[in-house]
Structure formats: structure tokens, C-alpha cells
Amino acid sequence: MTRQQKNGSIIAIIAMMFLYAMIGFVTNLAAPIGNVMKYDPEVGNNNFLAMMGNFMNFLAYLILGIPAGKLLSKHGYKKTALLGILLGFIGILVQFISGLEAFEGYPDNIIYLIGAFISGMCVCLLNTVVNPMLNLLGGGGKRGNQLNLIGGTFNSVAATIAPILVGILIGKVTEETDFVDVNLALYIAMAIFAVTFVVLAFIPIKEPEIGRVTSETKFEHSPWKFRHFVLGAIGIFIYVGIEVGIPATLNNYLSDTTGNGGGLSDENAKIIGGMVAGAFMFMMLIGRIVGGAIANKVSSKSMMIATSIFGIILILAAMFMPKSMTTLMPFFDSETRALMVETVPLSALLLILCGLCTSVMWPCVFNLATEGLGKYTATASGIFMMMVVGGGILPLIQNAIADSTLGYMISYIVPMLGLAYLLYYAIIGCKNVNTDIPVE
């Protein structure tokens, strides 16, 4: 590799890392802002509705996933990323409009959900770009997985900041809280998108040679012909549902001051509940830092096996642990702007620790499922994005169970079964049994 090629690759890697951070920020605005809808007096206190903003965010993946892969194949990584950033600005703008006084009397909830959907289109396109590009820039294998894990670290930092920022700006979410109360967070998000679009437009990004396609490229088959990819796509659907569902349901559990909730006082329940997503993402940050440090020595398969087993143990322990067993946990108080320590059920801590397990799974599944796909990688990435809709569907199912007589803890059977599938994929399903298909 020449010096010029090396510099071009470094610039591309840095740009992808920043886009990874933007994905985490936009995605994790959905859940805390969605809580405004949960406490809307017109619809009542409902965990299912609290997840609707999140659902719309992920529904975009189902609709745009495959077209995103085609855009990537036809127009390349940079143009696809710029389109994603533009959609992100529009999505945040629509969410901002839902809180304007001029729209009082209009269905602000519906306007907000439309904005969440457009924002989902943004992160779908950005994910379609960053995952395969980092994997290809790293040459696949352990190095490709390592670059995605390092990118995931930036994603986790932004994902940790997003709910904390919303918590600082709006404090406790009550029936008096409206979408206008989160406008400052949306101002910040729109500014970030605008600056990023301008900067990225002028940065010369060298696209990877490996897996590159042109108008001359012939596609005799499709990614669906590869068994390990199909099982991996299912794995992504399940994994994203696990990552979203664990903290979102725990948020609702600790925020619930009825006998079904975590037993916290009315004064602290909403503050602490709102900080759960940030705590979970902080665990993911730690996991990605460690994973990124060892990824050049430990295979994606080994990482997945270990984290899946550990996650299953944590969830099982949390499900059957009595609420009377408690522990102290630090949280950030959005009203006093200070750290506080509160007594919570020990099961809550175990579920937050699951973030250590989910931290490495996205790049591991992507790495294993796209290994050996060659010219089909871009199309495969689009299909992967479509399957991210699991982050909207599985949490809805989990929270529907939580709203039933079965309760919150039993609802964690959903992510536990998901981890069992990922364990199967890591042990058996990830093997490429279709090496006879030409990929060059």
C-alpha cells in the first residue's frame, strides 16, 4: 500500500468512526423523548406507547434496508452517507416542528412519530455505509471486526450522552411535559447534522477496493444463497431487539411506582428510570473498549459464544431474583445536576450489566455473516439494515408481556431466548457452507 493510499484509508476510517457516533446519538434520542408520549394524559400511562417512537425509528430499516444496499452499490459510500445525513437533519426538524406552539391542536404525537421515522431512515443509511466499509478497510476477519468494535465505542459514547442530555434538559417526565421541552436537544442535533454534511462533502474519502462493484459487475447469485448470511441476518434482527428491549423495559420497570414496578419512591422513580438507558450504554461502552483492544487476538466466534452465555446467566438470575434483594447504584440527577446513589432491585443491576454482553455482538454477527461474500457485501449490508427492524418489534412484544399479568421480569424471556439463538449461531450457524459460489 502506498503512502497516499494509506492516508486515504485513515481519513475514511476517521470519517466512519464519526458517523458511528452520529448513529448512536440519533438512535438513542428516540426512547427518552418517547417517554413524553407515555405520560400524555390523552393516551394514559402505557409502556407500549412509550416504545412507539423507537418502533417508528426501526420501522424505517425494514422499508429502506434493501434500497439502501442498492444505493450503496450504485452511488458508493460517500454519497450514500451524505444522503443519510440530510435525512437525519430533516427527521430532527420534523420532531422539532411537533413541539412548536403553532402546531397546538394538531396531533403532535403523529408529527413526532413521522420525524422519528425519517430519523430512522437516516441511521439506516449510515449503518449501511459504516459497517461494510470498516469491515472491508480492515480486510475482514479479526481486523475488520476490530475496526467495527472501535467504531462501536464512539457509538456508545454518543448513545450514553443522548439520554443523559435529554434528562438534563427536561428533568422528570410528567403529564405536563410536552415535546417543546426537548427542543434544545433537537437544536443541538440539527447543528451536528448540518456541520457534518458540510465537512463530509469536502473530505476526500477513498473507498475500499475489496468487494467494490461497478456497472459491469455481474451478480449471478444473491446473499440469500449463503446459509451463514441468512442465519446471521436473523441474528441481527434478534440482537437489536435484545439491545433495545433490555434497557427500555427496565426503564419502564423502575419508573413504575405501582406494585408491579421496581419499588422506588415516586420522587426518584422517573429520574432513575430515565437514566437506565445511559447506564446500559455505558456498560456497552466499556465492553466495546475491551472488545476493541482484544479483537485482533480473539475471534468474533469466541467473543459471541462467551458473551451469549454470560448474558443468558445474567437474565435468568434477574428473572428469578426476588425484588427484596437490593443494591446501591449511582445515577445522574437531572434536576440537581449531580450524582446520586439510590437503592434499586439487584435484578436491575444484573440487567444493566447485560450491556457488557451486547456490546460486541453487532460487529461480531456482521463480521461472521458477511465473511466470504465478496461482491455481494453491499447488497448484504442493505438486507442487514432491513433486519434491524427487530429493534422495534421485539421490544414491543416484550413490553406487551410486561403490561400483561405476567409482569416485567417474565417479559425478559424474549431477550433470553434471543441470546440462546445467538449462541447457536456462534457455535454452528456462522459456518460458510456455500464456498462453491463465486464472489469475485
Side-chain angles (χ1 to χ4, degrees), residues 69-355:
K70 292 180 178 178
L71 275 171
L72 184 60
S73 294
K74 185 175 182 180
H75 298 291
Y77 291 85
K78 182 173 178 177
K79 290 181 179 178
T80 305
L82 286 172
L83 177 59
I85 293 168
L86 179 61
L87 284 173
F89 182 88
I90 295 171
I92 298 296
L93 179 62
V94 173
Q95 292 180 62
F96 166 74
I97 289 173
S98 71
L100 294 178
E101 291 184 10
F103 281 82
E104 285 186 0
Y106 290 86
D108 57 349
N109 287 342
I110 301 300
I111 297 173
Y112 159 71
L113 290 175
I114 292 172
F117 178 79
I118 298 173
S119 294
M121 295 172 70
C122 155
V123 289
C124 174
L125 284 176
L126 294 184
N127 262 317
T128 305
V129 169
V130 299
N131 292 285
M133 188 164 187
L134 285 176
N135 200 45
L136 293 173
L137 285 170
K142 293 178 182 177
R143 174 62 177 162
N145 186 41
Q146 185 178 37
L147 286 180
N148 265 304
L149 277 167
I150 295 171
T153 301
F154 288 90
N155 179 281
S156 292
V157 171
T160 303
I161 291 172
I164 293 175
L165 176 63
V166 174
I168 290 172
L169 294 176
I170 67 178
K172 294 180 183 179
V173 179
T174 67
E175 292 183 357
E176 285 72 44
T177 307
D178 204 349
F179 288 117
V180 71
D181 296 312
V182 299
N183 276 353
L184 184 55
L186 301 182
Y187 281 134
I188 295 171
M190 284 190 287
I192 292 172
F193 275 111
V195 171
T196 304
F197 184 91
V198 174
V199 172
L200 188 62
F202 290 97
I203 291 178
I205 294 181
K206 178 176 175 56
E207 305 205 359
E209 295 291 339
I210 305 173
R212 177 178 287 186
V213 298
T214 67
S215 57
E216 313 293 322
T217 305
K218 303 293 183 184
F219 294 95
E220 301 85 1
H221 301 280
S222 79
W224 294 112
K225 293 290 185 179
F226 296 84
R227 190 198 72 167
H228 73 292
F229 168 75
V230 174
L231 295 178
I234 296 171
I236 283 292
F237 177 92
I238 291 171
Y239 156 70
V240 183
I242 293 170
E243 182 189 295
V244 175
I246 290 176
T249 307
L250 183 57
N251 183 345
N252 294 329
Y253 172 65
L254 294 179
S255 299
D256 191 339
T257 55
T258 69
N260 297 323
L264 301 181
S265 65
D266 290 345
E267 182 180 353
N268 291 328
K270 290 187 175 102
I271 296 175
I272 292 173
M275 293 296 110
V276 166
F280 185 86
M281 289 300 166
F282 183 68
M283 290 296 104
M284 288 191 64
L285 171 60
I286 294 174
R288 283 170 172 167
I289 291 173
V290 175
I294 65 173
N296 62 335
K297 300 181 180 68
V298 181
S299 69
S300 300
K301 181 173 181 175
S302 298
M303 279 192 187
M304 276 195 66
I305 291 173
T307 52
S308 296
I309 292 173
F310 185 43
I312 289 170
I313 293 171
L314 287 173
I315 290 179
L316 278 173
M319 287 175 65
F320 294 103
M321 188 166 290
K323 193 189 303 183
S324 58
M325 293 184 67
T326 61
T327 187
L328 294 175
M329 281 192 63
F331 290 93
F332 183 82
D333 189 333
S334 58
E335 291 190 341
T336 64
R337 310 306 198 261
L339 284 174
M340 59 178 286
V341 177
E342 177 67 19
T343 300
V344 298
L346 183 56
S347 57
L349 175 60
L350 297 178
L351 293 171
I352 288 174
L353 289 174
C354 286

Side-chain angles (χ1 to χ4, degrees), residues 23-44:
I23 292 167
F25 186 80
V26 175
T27 301
N28 287 277
L29 279 177
I33 295 178
N35 276 338
V36 176
M37 186 182 296
K38 173 180 177 178
Y39 293 103
D40 188 332
E42 295 181 6
V43 297

